Amino acid sequence: MDSSGIEVLMQRGQWDDAISACRAALQVTPTSAKINGYLGMCYFRKNEYAAAIDPLRRACTLDPKCWQAGARLAQCYDRLHRYEEAYEIAKVWQRVNPSDPTLQGLVYTLEHQVRGNRKDGWERTQHLAHEVTFSQE
């Protein structure tokens, strides 16, 4: 099956069939950035983020302009709570396509997430225990 057939399966939401078709196509052309990207996207859509990482990473390596795969890769790391990796990847791909709203949002939110995970300097004082009381009505 060629990439257009895989695209049809993906448009229909037939993720398992699209994964099978991608795997078959990769047997013939393992260096296809597009097919690797499609395979990663299928896993992403099935919420199998760990499985999506390798094909998305291959797509990014094979085509350094494939920012869509880079954005999905960052989203996978984000959803796996690997925020530092997600942030670094999103920053790299935002340089390739600075106007993409997905990458802009990732960089913005992950920057705060990563910064919030640090416990050095003034940021340690953010997590001081305090008591909250509500007035009785």
Side-chain angles (χ1 to χ4, degrees):
M1 180 176 289
D2 64 353
S3 62
S4 62
I6 294 169
E7 290 170 4
V8 169
L9 292 171
M10 291 173 69
Q11 288 170 353
R12 292 180 183 162
Q14 297 173 317
W15 306 117
D16 291 325
D17 293 337
I19 288 170
S20 296
C22 286
R23 292 206 175 280
L26 287 171
Q27 292 295 317
V28 178
T29 55
T31 58
S32 170
K34 187 178 212 178
I35 302 299
N36 276 290
Y38 285 165
L39 179 60
M41 176 59 81
C42 291
Y43 282 122
F44 182 85
R45 292 294 183 185
K46 289 184 65 177
N47 300 325
E48 295 178 16
Y49 306 117
I53 288 175
D54 285 339
L56 290 171
R57 188 184 315 268
R58 276 192 301 276
C60 293
T61 301
L62 292 166
D63 183 358
K65 295 194 184 312
C66 190
W67 61 269
Q68 297 94 334
R72 288 289 180 248
L73 182 60
Q75 286 177 314
C76 286
Y77 281 115
D78 178 45
R79 302 228 171 120
L80 291 170
H81 306 287
R82 294 168 64 177
Y83 302 119
E84 289 83 6
E85 292 164 289
Y87 176 62
E88 293 303 320
I89 291 167
K91 282 194 318 185
V92 167
W93 290 100
Q94 188 182 34
R95 285 191 289 268
V96 175
N97 187 1
S99 63
D100 180 60
T102 300
L103 288 167
Q104 289 173 349
L106 279 168
V107 168
Y108 178 77
T109 57
L110 289 168
E111 179 179 38
H112 296 290
Q113 180 70 30
V114 170
R115 190 180 315 151
N117 286 339
R118 292 190 197 127
K119 302 291 188 258
D120 55 338
W122 67 270
E123 292 168 334
R124 279 186 282 175
T125 61
Q126 284 184 320
H127 304 289
L128 294 175
H130 61 280
E131 184 178 324
V132 177
T133 57
F134 296 97
S135 65
Q136 301 265 335
E137 291 186 34

